Amino acid sequence: MMTNSSLRDRRAFLKFLTGSPYIAALGGVSAAAFDTQQAATAIGDVITDPKDALDVMDFEEAAHRKVAPGHWAYMVSGTDEDGTIRANREGFKHVQLRPRRLFDATKVDTRTELWGTTYNSPIFTCPTGGEKSFHAEGELAVARATKARGTLQVLSTATSTGVEDVCQAHGQPVWYQLYAPSSWAATEKIVHRVEAAGCPVIALTVDNTTGRNSETYAAQRSRPVRGVPRPR
Ligand SMILES: Cc1cc2nc3c(=O)[nH]c(=O)nc-3n(C[C@H](O)[C@H](O)[C@H](O)COP(=O)(O)O)c2cc1C
């Protein structure tokens, strides 16, 4: 079994490796990070501190161990038999960062302006429904995290926290993702509430108006939704 400090040392070394030009020559940073994460998970080397993450996928197994099985099944399900999730992950392996040498990259400015608001980064948190299913503080925790980083939060129609409370926790109005109900009156009611909360943008999502076939979730939806951590 690895101690926390040997685990940190190994991760620090892997971090160094993934930044190395030699890794770029072998297939690039994202490919290396993905493969080291898979190797780390395979030997049970799961992060216990966000600071140890080399790659966003390092959070996956850590979350798997925390989230109740029924909620986990929802979180990891795609459409039909998850073909698009697999295709996306495969696709991202072919996107590489091209290292540019002999440029001064000590000060990088990632700020982005969208409709009059400046964010510290173009990376934002996507809308995901019912975040309290995954963490007791749900959307409020995401609001505090995005506020701390100066980034955008997009709140789902299926939020488990009221839009007003989320805007307050975020420090400024968030964007709102809308699944429009089939009744126009109900849609107007939501839009007026979101407007009154100050949300400057509504992102209309049309993928779910007729429902979808999620086979992974359908097969596992009867699994417990609380208090059953994944066995180690
Ligand atoms: C558990 C879960 C819940 C989601 N809920 C919503 C939602 O309520 N509204 C929405 O527009 N998209 C929803 N999405 C889609 C995400 O916003 C995002 O577009 C999608 O996950 C693709 O990004 P990714 O490749 O980083 O996962 C959800 C995705 C997941 C995994």
Side-chain angles (χ1 to χ4, degrees), residues 11-51:
R11 287 195 160 261
F13 177 63
L14 289 174
K15 229 175 210 169
F16 162 76
L17 264 190
T18 53
S20 150
Y22 300 109
I23 290 289
L26 290 173
V29 175
S30 60
F34 191 76
D35 291 342
T36 51
Q37 183 271 328
Q38 280 183 328
T41 303
I43 59 165
D45 175 7
V46 177
I47 57 165
T48 52
D49 185 326
K51 291 194 184 77

Side-chain angles (χ1 to χ4, degrees), residues 27-218:
V29 175
S30 60
F34 191 76
D35 291 342
T36 51
Q37 183 271 328
Q38 280 183 328
T41 303
I43 59 165
D45 175 7
V46 177
I47 57 165
T48 52
D49 185 326
K51 291 194 184 77
D52 290 336
L54 296 170
D55 173 283
V56 70
M57 296 310 295
D58 278 342
F59 290 99
E60 188 175 44
E61 183 54 24
H64 193 181
R65 291 177 185 219
K66 292 264 183 201
V67 174
H71 291 316
W72 180 254
Y74 173 67
M75 190 186 244
V76 296
S77 289
T79 304
D80 296 333
E81 35 59 79
D82 305 332
T84 317
I85 291 181
R86 284 193 298 276
N88 283 345
R89 288 200 181 167
E90 184 54 36
F92 273 114
K93 284 192 197 174
H94 301 286
V95 178
Q96 305 291 328
L97 296 179
R98 182 152 62 107
R100 288 173 184 263
R101 303 297 170 195
L102 304 178
F103 279 93
D104 180 7
T106 50
K107 292 185 192 73
V108 176
D109 185 355
T110 57
R111 280 177 304 169
T112 305
E113 192 193 315
L114 279 173
W115 291 299
T117 305
T118 302
Y119 302 95
N120 285 343
S121 159
I123 297 175
F124 64 94
T125 59
C126 272
T128 52
E131 289 172 2
K132 280 189 185 161
S133 312
F134 311 122
H135 189 281
E137 293 173 52
E139 292 81 4
L140 292 182
V142 176
R144 288 195 295 269
T146 46
K147 178 185 181 185
R149 291 285 175 180
T151 56
L152 171 67
Q153 174 179 10
V154 184
L155 187 68
S156 165
T157 302
T159 178
S160 44
T161 310
V163 60
E164 300 81 3
D165 293 340
V166 175
C167 292
Q168 195 180 26
H170 186 69
Q172 60 179 318
V174 298
W175 287 15
Y176 186 86
Q177 172 270 319
L178 179 66
Y179 283 132
S182 45
S183 140
W184 180 244
T187 304
E188 267 190 329
K189 205 169 159 191
I190 297 176
V191 171
H192 287 149
R193 179 173 169 182
V194 166
E195 231 178 359
C199 298
V201 174
I202 285 181
L204 179 68
T205 308
V206 294
D207 72 324
N208 211 15
T209 44
T210 52
R212 64 177 184 153
N213 178 40
S214 289
E215 292 170 16
T216 302
Y217 180 51

